[in-house]
Amino acid sequence: MTNANENTIVAPEGARIVNLHCRVNHGRDWKEAISAGFLPHKRINGEVQKVGDLYLPTSTEEIQGDYIILNFLPGCGSWDRALVWAQSVGLKMTVPREVFAIGEQYPGLERTLGQNPLYLVATTDCIFGGRRKACFVWWGRYRFFFWSIGRRVVGLRPTIDFDHNCAWFLFRK
């Protein structure tokens, strides 16, 4: 493993990583940040709207950031394994506004990564409804005859729900 300050970070065994660059406004209104993450007229998981007070704004300006997303092959990873690996290479946890901004700026991420469906998960969790949960953006593409229809949804789910190969964990360099 290498330090995050070096140019090369090695994925853990049974995983792959991808570098992303994104602009994030950490002071963006919670509902506005949520709306940026999903496709208009699509579904928003109701719980995600209720946790904004757990992720308070940290600045008022837009910040350019470099990110790494981590995905495990089937049977190789979990939420906890992702967090341990990130800490070992000096990466920082991310908050939902960062995930929502990537949803907005990378609308075709599932096609780019060849992963359908795809969950991109913020790595700072919260306790809601007595369970450990995390905010996410979900990309999915459906085929109907000759048309391909894309969807992007935001939500909040238990962290254990991300222990599968459709989950990508977002970390900040």
Coordinates of all heavy atoms in Angstrom, one line a residue, residues 35-118:
S35 N -31.2 17.3 -4.6 CA -31.8 17.4 -6.0 C -30.8 17.3 -7.1 O -31.1 16.9 -8.2 CB -32.6 18.7 -6.1 OG -33.7 18.7 -5.2
A36 N -29.6 17.8 -6.8 CA -28.5 17.8 -7.8 C -28.1 16.3 -8.1 O -27.6 16.0 -9.2 CB -27.3 18.6 -7.3
G37 N -28.2 15.5 -7.1 CA -27.7 14.1 -7.2 C -28.6 13.2 -8.0 O -28.2 12.2 -8.5
F38 N -29.9 13.5 -8.2 CA -30.8 12.6 -8.9 C -31.3 13.2 -10.2 O -31.3 14.4 -10.4 CB -31.9 12.1 -8.0 CG -33.0 13.1 -7.8 CD1 -34.2 12.9 -8.5 CD2 -32.9 14.1 -6.9 CE1 -35.3 13.8 -8.3 CE2 -33.9 15.0 -6.7 CZ -35.1 14.9 -7.4
L39 N -31.8 12.3 -11.1 CA -32.4 12.8 -12.3 C -33.8 13.5 -12.0 O -34.5 12.9 -11.2 CB -32.6 11.7 -13.3 CG -31.3 11.2 -14.0 CD1 -31.7 10.0 -14.8 CD2 -30.7 12.2 -14.8
P40 N -34.1 14.6 -12.6 CA -35.4 15.2 -12.3 C -36.5 14.3 -12.6 O -36.4 13.4 -13.5 CB -35.4 16.4 -13.4 CG -33.9 16.6 -13.7 CD -33.2 15.3 -13.5
H41 N -37.5 14.4 -11.8 CA -38.7 13.6 -11.9 C -38.5 12.1 -11.5 O -39.3 11.3 -11.9 CB -39.4 13.7 -13.2 CG -39.5 15.1 -13.7 ND1 -40.3 16.1 -13.0 CD2 -39.0 15.8 -14.7 CE1 -40.2 17.2 -13.6 NE2 -39.4 17.1 -14.6
K42 N -37.4 11.8 -10.9 CA -37.2 10.5 -10.4 C -37.4 10.4 -8.9 O -37.5 11.4 -8.2 CB -35.8 10.0 -10.8 CG -35.6 10.0 -12.3 CD -36.5 9.0 -13.0 CE -36.3 9.0 -14.5 NZ -37.3 8.4 -15.3
R43 N -37.3 9.3 -8.3 CA -37.6 9.0 -6.9 C -36.5 9.5 -6.0 O -35.3 9.3 -6.3 CB -37.9 7.5 -6.8 CG -38.4 7.1 -5.4 CD -38.8 5.7 -5.5 NE -37.7 4.8 -5.7 CZ -36.9 4.3 -4.7 NH1 -37.2 4.5 -3.5 NH2 -35.9 3.5 -5.0
I44 N -36.8 10.0 -4.9 CA -35.9 10.3 -3.8 C -36.3 9.5 -2.6 O -37.5 9.5 -2.2 CB -35.9 11.8 -3.3 CG1 -35.5 12.7 -4.5 CG2 -35.0 12.0 -2.1 CD1 -35.5 14.2 -4.1
N45 N -35.4 8.7 -2.0 CA -35.7 8.0 -0.8 C -36.0 9.0 0.3 O -35.2 9.9 0.6 CB -34.4 7.1 -0.5 CG -34.4 6.5 0.9 OD1 -34.5 7.2 1.9 ND2 -34.4 5.2 0.9
G46 N -37.1 8.9 1.0 CA -37.6 9.9 1.9 C -36.6 10.1 3.1 O -36.5 11.2 3.7
E47 N -36.0 9.0 3.6 CA -35.1 9.1 4.7 C -33.9 10.1 4.5 O -33.5 10.8 5.4 CB -34.5 7.7 5.1 CG -35.6 6.8 5.8 CD -35.0 5.6 6.3 OE1 -33.8 5.2 5.9 OE2 -35.6 4.9 7.0
V48 N -33.4 10.2 3.3 CA -32.3 11.0 3.0 C -32.6 12.5 3.3 O -31.7 13.3 3.6 CB -31.7 10.8 1.6 CG1 -32.6 11.4 0.5 CG2 -30.3 11.3 1.5
Q49 N -33.8 12.8 3.1 CA -34.3 14.2 3.3 C -34.2 14.6 4.8 O -34.2 15.7 5.2 CB -35.6 14.5 2.7 CG -35.7 14.3 1.2 CD -37.0 14.5 0.7 OE1 -37.8 15.4 1.1 NE2 -37.4 13.7 -0.3
K50 N -34.3 13.6 5.7 CA -34.4 13.8 7.1 C -33.1 13.8 7.9 O -33.0 14.1 9.1 CB -35.3 12.7 7.7 CG -36.7 12.7 7.2 CD -37.5 11.5 7.7 CE -38.8 11.4 7.1 NZ -39.6 10.2 7.5
V51 N -31.9 13.6 7.2 CA -30.6 13.5 7.9 C -29.7 14.7 7.6 O -28.6 14.7 8.0 CB -29.9 12.2 7.5 CG1 -30.6 11.0 8.1 CG2 -29.6 12.1 6.1
G52 N -30.3 15.8 7.0 CA -29.5 17.0 6.7 C -28.8 17.6 7.9 O -27.7 18.1 7.8
D53 N -29.5 17.5 9.0 CA -28.9 18.1 10.3 C -27.8 17.3 10.8 O -27.1 17.8 11.7 CB -30.0 18.3 11.3 CG -30.7 17.0 11.7 OD1 -30.7 16.1 10.9 OD2 -31.2 16.9 12.9
L54 N -27.6 16.1 10.3 CA -26.4 15.3 10.7 C -25.2 15.6 9.8 O -24.1 15.1 10.1 CB -26.8 13.8 10.6 CG -27.9 13.3 11.4 CD1 -28.2 11.9 11.2 CD2 -27.7 13.6 12.9
Y55 N -25.4 16.3 8.7 CA -24.3 16.6 7.8 C -24.3 18.2 7.5 O -24.7 18.6 6.5 CB -24.5 15.9 6.5 CG -24.4 14.4 6.6 CD1 -25.6 13.6 6.6 CD2 -23.2 13.7 6.8 CE1 -25.5 12.2 6.8 CE2 -23.1 12.4 7.0 CZ -24.3 11.6 6.9 OH -24.3 10.3 7.1
L56 N -23.9 18.9 8.5 CA -24.0 20.4 8.4 C -23.0 20.9 7.4 O -21.9 20.3 7.2 CB -23.8 21.0 9.8 CG -24.9 20.6 10.9 CD1 -24.5 21.2 12.2 CD2 -26.2 21.1 10.4
P57 N -23.3 22.1 6.8 CA -22.4 22.7 5.9 C -21.0 23.0 6.5 O -21.0 23.3 7.7 CB -23.1 24.0 5.5 CG -24.5 23.8 5.8 CD -24.5 22.8 7.0
T58 N -19.9 22.9 5.8 CA -18.6 23.1 6.4 C -17.9 24.3 5.7 O -16.9 24.7 6.2 CB -17.7 21.9 6.2 OG1 -17.7 21.5 4.8 CG2 -18.3 20.7 7.0
S59 N -18.5 24.9 4.6 CA -17.9 26.0 4.0 C -18.9 26.7 3.1 O -20.0 26.1 3.0 CB -16.7 25.7 3.1 OG -17.1 25.0 2.0
T60 N -18.6 27.8 2.5 CA -19.6 28.5 1.7 C -19.1 28.6 0.2 O -19.8 29.2 -0.6 CB -19.9 29.9 2.2 OG1 -18.6 30.6 2.3 CG2 -20.5 29.8 3.6
E61 N -18.0 28.0 -0.1 CA -17.4 28.1 -1.4 C -17.3 26.8 -2.1 O -17.3 25.7 -1.4 CB -16.1 28.8 -1.4 CG -15.0 28.1 -0.6 CD -13.8 28.9 -0.4 OE1 -13.9 30.1 0.0 OE2 -12.7 28.4 -0.7
E62 N -17.3 26.8 -3.4 CA -17.1 25.6 -4.2 C -15.6 25.2 -4.1 O -14.8 26.0 -4.4 CB -17.6 25.8 -5.6 CG -17.7 24.5 -6.4 CD -18.3 24.8 -7.7 OE1 -17.6 25.2 -8.7 OE2 -19.5 24.5 -7.8
I63 N -15.4 23.9 -3.9 CA -14.0 23.4 -3.8 C -13.8 22.3 -4.8 O -14.6 21.4 -5.0 CB -13.8 22.8 -2.4 CG1 -14.0 23.9 -1.3 CG2 -12.4 22.2 -2.2 CD1 -14.0 23.4 0.1
Q64 N -12.6 22.4 -5.5 CA -12.2 21.3 -6.4 C -11.6 20.2 -5.6 O -10.8 20.5 -4.7 CB -11.2 21.8 -7.4 CG -11.6 23.0 -8.2 CD -12.5 22.6 -9.4 OE1 -12.5 21.5 -9.8 NE2 -13.3 23.6 -9.8
G65 N -12.0 19.0 -5.9 CA -11.5 17.9 -5.1 C -11.1 16.7 -6.0 O -11.7 16.5 -7.0
D66 N -10.1 15.9 -5.5 CA -9.7 14.7 -6.1 C -10.2 13.5 -5.3 O -10.0 13.5 -4.0 CB -8.2 14.6 -6.3 CG -7.7 15.6 -7.3 OD1 -8.3 15.7 -8.4 OD2 -6.7 16.3 -7.0
Y67 N -10.8 12.6 -5.9 CA -11.4 11.5 -5.2 C -11.0 10.1 -5.8 O -10.5 10.0 -6.9 CB -13.0 11.6 -5.4 CG -13.5 12.8 -4.7 CD1 -13.6 14.0 -5.4 CD2 -13.9 12.8 -3.4 CE1 -14.1 15.1 -4.8 CE2 -14.4 13.9 -2.8 CZ -14.5 15.1 -3.5 OH -15.0 16.2 -2.8
I68 N -11.1 9.1 -5.0 CA -10.9 7.7 -5.4 C -12.2 7.0 -5.0 O -12.7 7.1 -3.9 CB -9.7 7.1 -4.7 CG1 -8.4 7.7 -5.3 CG2 -9.7 5.6 -4.8 CD1 -7.1 7.0 -4.7
I69 N -12.7 6.2 -6.0 CA -13.8 5.3 -5.7 C -13.3 3.9 -5.7 O -12.5 3.5 -6.6 CB -15.0 5.6 -6.7 CG1 -14.6 5.4 -8.1 CG2 -15.6 6.9 -6.4 CD1 -15.8 5.5 -9.1
L70 N -13.8 3.1 -4.8 CA -13.3 1.7 -4.6 C -14.5 0.8 -4.8 O -15.5 1.0 -4.2 CB -12.8 1.6 -3.2 CG -12.5 0.2 -2.6 CD1 -11.3 -0.4 -3.3 CD2 -12.3 0.3 -1.1
N71 N -14.2 -0.3 -5.5 CA -15.2 -1.3 -5.8 C -14.6 -2.7 -5.6 O -13.5 -2.9 -6.1 CB -15.8 -1.2 -7.2 CG -16.7 -2.3 -7.6 OD1 -16.3 -3.2 -8.4 ND2 -17.9 -2.3 -7.1
F72 N -15.3 -3.5 -4.8 CA -14.8 -4.9 -4.6 C -15.5 -5.9 -5.6 O -16.7 -5.7 -5.9 CB -15.1 -5.3 -3.2 CG -14.3 -4.6 -2.1 CD1 -14.9 -3.6 -1.4 CD2 -13.0 -5.0 -1.9 CE1 -14.2 -3.0 -0.4 CE2 -12.3 -4.3 -1.0 CZ -12.8 -3.3 -0.2
L73 N -14.7 -6.9 -6.0 CA -15.3 -7.9 -6.8 C -16.2 -8.8 -6.0 O -16.1 -8.7 -4.7 CB -14.1 -8.8 -7.4 CG -13.1 -8.0 -8.3 CD1 -12.0 -8.9 -8.6 CD2 -13.8 -7.5 -9.5
P74 N -17.1 -9.5 -6.6 CA -18.1 -10.3 -5.8 C -17.4 -11.2 -4.7 O -16.4 -11.9 -5.0 CB -18.8 -11.2 -6.8 CG -18.7 -10.4 -8.1 CD -17.3 -9.7 -8.0
G75 N -17.9 -11.1 -3.5 CA -17.4 -11.9 -2.4 C -16.1 -11.4 -1.7 O -15.6 -12.0 -0.8
C76 N -15.6 -10.2 -2.2 CA -14.3 -9.8 -1.7 C -14.3 -8.6 -0.7 O -13.3 -8.3 -0.1 CB -13.4 -9.4 -2.9 SG -12.9 -10.8 -3.9
G77 N -15.4 -7.9 -0.6 CA -15.4 -6.7 0.2 C -16.6 -6.4 1.0 O -17.6 -7.2 1.0
S78 N -16.5 -5.4 1.8 CA -17.5 -4.9 2.6 C -17.3 -3.5 3.0 O -16.3 -2.9 2.7 CB -17.6 -5.8 3.9 OG -16.4 -5.5 4.7
W79 N -18.3 -2.8 3.6 CA -18.2 -1.5 4.1 C -17.0 -1.3 5.0 O -16.2 -0.4 4.8 CB -19.5 -1.1 4.8 CG -19.5 0.1 5.6 CD1 -19.1 0.3 6.9 CD2 -19.8 1.5 5.1 NE1 -19.2 1.6 7.3 CE2 -19.6 2.3 6.2 CE3 -20.3 1.9 3.9 CZ2 -19.9 3.7 6.1 CZ3 -20.6 3.3 3.8 CH2 -20.4 4.2 4.9
D80 N -16.9 -2.2 6.0 CA -15.8 -2.1 7.0 C -14.5 -2.3 6.3 O -13.5 -1.6 6.6 CB -16.0 -3.1 8.1 CG -17.2 -2.7 9.0 OD1 -17.5 -1.5 9.1 OD2 -17.9 -3.6 9.5
R81 N -14.3 -3.2 5.4 CA -13.1 -3.5 4.7 C -12.7 -2.2 3.9 O -11.5 -1.9 3.8 CB -13.1 -4.7 3.8 CG -11.8 -5.0 3.2 CD -11.7 -6.3 2.5 NE -10.4 -6.5 1.9 CZ -10.2 -7.0 0.7 NH1 -11.1 -7.5 0.0 NH2 -8.9 -7.1 0.3
A82 N -13.6 -1.6 3.3 CA -13.4 -0.4 2.5 C -12.8 0.7 3.4 O -11.8 1.4 3.0 CB -14.6 0.1 1.8
L83 N -13.4 0.9 4.6 CA -12.9 2.0 5.5 C -11.6 1.7 6.0 O -10.7 2.6 6.1 CB -13.9 2.1 6.6 CG -15.4 2.6 6.3 CD1 -16.2 2.8 7.5 CD2 -15.4 3.8 5.3
V84 N -11.3 0.4 6.4 CA -10.0 0.1 6.9 C -8.9 0.3 5.8 O -7.8 0.9 6.1 CB -9.9 -1.4 7.3 CG1 -8.5 -1.9 7.6 CG2 -10.8 -1.6 8.6
W85 N -9.2 -0.1 4.5 CA -8.2 0.1 3.5 C -8.0 1.6 3.3 O -6.8 2.0 3.2 CB -8.8 -0.5 2.1 CG -7.9 0.0 1.0 CD1 -6.7 -0.6 0.6 CD2 -8.2 1.0 0.1 NE1 -6.2 0.1 -0.5 CE2 -7.1 1.1 -0.9 CE3 -9.3 1.9 -0.1 CZ2 -7.1 2.0 -1.9 CZ3 -9.2 2.8 -1.1 CH2 -8.2 2.9 -2.0
A86 N -9.0 2.4 3.2 CA -8.9 3.9 3.0 C -8.0 4.5 4.1 O -7.1 5.3 3.8 CB -10.2 4.6 3.0
Q87 N -8.2 4.1 5.3 CA -7.4 4.6 6.4 C -5.9 4.2 6.3 O -5.0 5.0 6.5 CB -8.0 4.2 7.8 CG -7.2 4.8 8.9 CD -7.8 4.3 10.3 OE1 -8.4 3.2 10.4 NE2 -7.6 5.1 11.3
S88 N -5.7 3.0 5.8 CA -4.3 2.5 5.7 C -3.5 3.2 4.6 O -2.3 3.3 4.6 CB -4.3 1.0 5.4 OG -4.7 0.7 4.0
V89 N -4.2 3.8 3.6 CA -3.5 4.6 2.5 C -3.7 6.1 2.7 O -3.3 6.9 1.8 CB -3.9 4.1 1.1 CG1 -3.6 2.7 0.9 CG2 -5.4 4.4 0.9
G90 N -4.3 6.5 3.8 CA -4.3 8.0 4.1 C -5.4 8.7 3.4 O -5.4 9.9 3.3
L91 N -6.5 8.0 2.9 CA -7.6 8.7 2.3 C -8.6 9.2 3.4 O -8.6 8.7 4.5 CB -8.3 7.8 1.3 CG -7.5 7.3 0.2 CD1 -8.3 6.3 -0.7 CD2 -7.1 8.5 -0.7
K92 N -9.4 10.2 3.0 CA -10.4 10.8 3.9 C -11.8 10.3 3.6 O -12.1 10.1 2.4 CB -10.3 12.3 3.8 CG -8.9 12.9 4.3 CD -8.9 14.4 4.0 CE -7.5 15.0 4.4 NZ -6.4 14.5 3.7
M93 N -12.6 10.2 4.6 CA -14.0 9.9 4.4 C -14.7 11.0 3.7 O -14.3 12.2 3.8 CB -14.7 9.6 5.8 CG -14.0 8.5 6.6 SD -13.9 7.0 5.7 CE -12.8 6.1 6.8
T94 N -15.8 10.7 3.0 CA -16.6 11.7 2.3 C -18.0 11.9 2.9 O -18.4 11.0 3.7 CB -16.7 11.3 0.8 OG1 -17.3 10.0 0.8 CG2 -15.4 11.4 0.1
V95 N -18.6 13.0 2.6 CA -19.9 13.3 3.1 C -20.9 13.3 1.9 O -20.5 13.3 0.8 CB -19.9 14.7 3.8 CG1 -19.1 14.6 5.1 CG2 -19.5 15.8 2.9
P96 N -22.2 13.2 2.2 CA -23.2 13.1 1.2 C -23.1 14.2 0.1 O -23.3 13.9 -1.1 CB -24.5 13.1 1.9 CG -24.2 12.5 3.2 CD -22.8 13.0 3.6
R97 N -22.8 15.4 0.5 CA -22.8 16.5 -0.5 C -21.8 16.2 -1.6 O -21.9 16.5 -2.8 CB -22.4 17.8 0.1 CG -23.6 18.5 0.8 CD -23.3 19.8 1.4 NE -24.4 20.5 2.1 CZ -24.8 20.2 3.3 NH1 -24.2 19.3 4.0 NH2 -25.9 20.8 3.8
E98 N -20.7 15.5 -1.3 CA -19.7 15.1 -2.3 C -20.3 14.0 -3.2 O -20.1 14.1 -4.5 CB -18.4 14.6 -1.6 CG -17.7 15.7 -0.9 CD -16.6 15.2 0.1 OE1 -17.0 14.5 1.1 OE2 -15.5 15.5 -0.1
V99 N -21.0 13.0 -2.7 CA -21.6 12.0 -3.5 C -22.6 12.6 -4.4 O -22.7 12.3 -5.6 CB -22.2 10.9 -2.6 CG1 -23.1 9.9 -3.4 CG2 -21.1 10.1 -1.9
F100 N -23.5 13.5 -3.9 CA -24.5 14.1 -4.7 C -23.9 15.0 -5.8 O -24.4 15.0 -7.0 CB -25.4 15.0 -3.8 CG -26.1 14.3 -2.7 CD1 -26.4 15.0 -1.6 CD2 -26.4 13.0 -2.7 CE1 -27.0 14.4 -0.5 CE2 -27.0 12.3 -1.7 CZ -27.4 13.0 -0.5
A101 N -22.8 15.7 -5.5 CA -22.1 16.5 -6.6 C -21.6 15.6 -7.7 O -21.6 15.9 -8.9 CB -21.0 17.3 -6.0
I102 N -21.0 14.4 -7.3 CA -20.6 13.5 -8.4 C -21.7 13.0 -9.2 O -21.6 12.8 -10.4 CB -19.7 12.3 -7.7 CG1 -18.4 12.9 -7.3 CG2 -19.5 11.2 -8.7 CD1 -17.5 12.0 -6.6
G103 N -22.9 12.7 -8.5 CA -24.1 12.3 -9.3 C -24.4 13.4 -10.3 O -24.8 13.0 -11.4
E104 N -24.3 14.6 -9.9 CA -24.6 15.7 -10.8 C -23.6 15.9 -12.0 O -24.0 16.0 -13.1 CB -24.7 17.0 -10.0 CG -25.0 18.3 -10.8 CD -25.0 19.5 -10.0 OE1 -24.3 19.6 -9.0 OE2 -25.8 20.4 -10.3
Q105 N -22.3 15.7 -11.7 CA -21.3 16.0 -12.6 C -20.9 14.8 -13.5 O -20.2 14.9 -14.5 CB -20.1 16.5 -11.9 CG -20.3 17.9 -11.3 CD -19.3 18.4 -10.4 OE1 -18.1 18.3 -10.7 NE2 -19.7 19.0 -9.3
Y106 N -21.3 13.6 -13.0 CA -21.0 12.3 -13.8 C -22.3 11.6 -14.0 O -22.5 10.5 -13.5 CB -20.0 11.4 -13.0 CG -18.6 12.0 -12.9 CD1 -18.3 12.9 -11.9 CD2 -17.7 11.7 -13.9 CE1 -17.0 13.4 -11.8 CE2 -16.4 12.2 -13.8 CZ -16.0 13.0 -12.8 OH -14.8 13.5 -12.7
P107 N -23.2 12.2 -14.8 CA -24.5 11.5 -15.0 C -24.5 10.2 -15.6 O -25.4 9.4 -15.4 CB -25.3 12.5 -15.9 CG -24.2 13.3 -16.6 CD -23.1 13.4 -15.6
G108 N -23.5 9.8 -16.4 CA -23.4 8.5 -17.0 C -22.3 7.6 -16.4 O -21.7 6.8 -17.1
L109 N -22.1 7.8 -15.1 CA -21.0 7.0 -14.4 C -21.2 5.5 -14.6 O -20.2 4.8 -14.8 CB -20.9 7.4 -12.9 CG -19.7 6.9 -12.2 CD1 -18.4 7.4 -12.8 CD2 -19.9 7.3 -10.7
E110 N -22.4 5.0 -14.6 CA -22.6 3.6 -14.7 C -22.1 3.1 -16.1 O -21.6 1.9 -16.2 CB -24.1 3.2 -14.4 CG -25.0 3.3 -15.6 CD -25.4 4.7 -16.0 OE1 -25.0 5.7 -15.4 OE2 -26.2 4.8 -17.0
R111 N -22.3 3.9 -17.1 CA -21.8 3.5 -18.4 C -20.3 3.6 -18.5 O -19.6 2.7 -19.0 CB -22.4 4.4 -19.5 CG -23.9 4.1 -19.7 CD -24.4 4.8 -20.9 NE -24.1 6.2 -20.9 CZ -24.9 7.2 -20.5 NH1 -26.1 7.0 -20.1 NH2 -24.5 8.5 -20.6
T112 N -19.7 4.6 -17.9 CA -18.2 4.8 -17.9 C -17.5 3.7 -17.2 O -16.5 3.2 -17.7 CB -17.9 6.1 -17.2 OG1 -18.5 7.2 -17.9 CG2 -16.4 6.4 -17.2
L113 N -18.1 3.2 -16.1 CA -17.5 2.1 -15.3 C -17.9 0.8 -15.7 O -17.4 -0.2 -15.3 CB -17.7 2.3 -13.8 CG -17.2 3.6 -13.2 CD1 -17.6 3.8 -11.8 CD2 -15.6 3.7 -13.4
G114 N -18.9 0.7 -16.6 CA -19.4 -0.6 -17.0 C -20.1 -1.4 -15.9 O -20.0 -2.6 -15.8
Q115 N -20.8 -0.7 -15.0 CA -21.4 -1.3 -13.8 C -22.8 -0.8 -13.8 O -23.2 0.3 -13.6 CB -20.7 -0.8 -12.6 CG -21.3 -1.3 -11.3 CD -20.7 -2.6 -10.8 OE1 -19.5 -2.7 -10.9 NE2 -21.5 -3.5 -10.4
N116 N -23.7 -1.8 -14.0 CA -25.2 -1.5 -14.0 C -25.9 -2.5 -13.2 O -25.9 -3.7 -13.6 CB -25.7 -1.4 -15.4 CG -27.1 -1.0 -15.5 OD1 -27.7 -0.3 -14.7 ND2 -27.8 -1.5 -16.6
P117 N -26.5 -2.2 -12.1 CA -26.6 -0.9 -11.4 C -25.3 -0.5 -10.7 O -24.4 -1.4 -10.5 CB -27.7 -1.0 -10.5 CG -27.7 -2.4 -10.1 CD -27.2 -3.2 -11.3
L118 N -25.2 0.7 -10.2 CA -24.1 1.2 -9.5 C -24.5 2.0 -8.3 O -25.4 2.9 -8.5 CB -23.2 2.0 -10.4 CG -21.9 2.6 -9.9 CD1 -20.9 2.8 -11.0 CD2 -22.1 4.0 -9.2

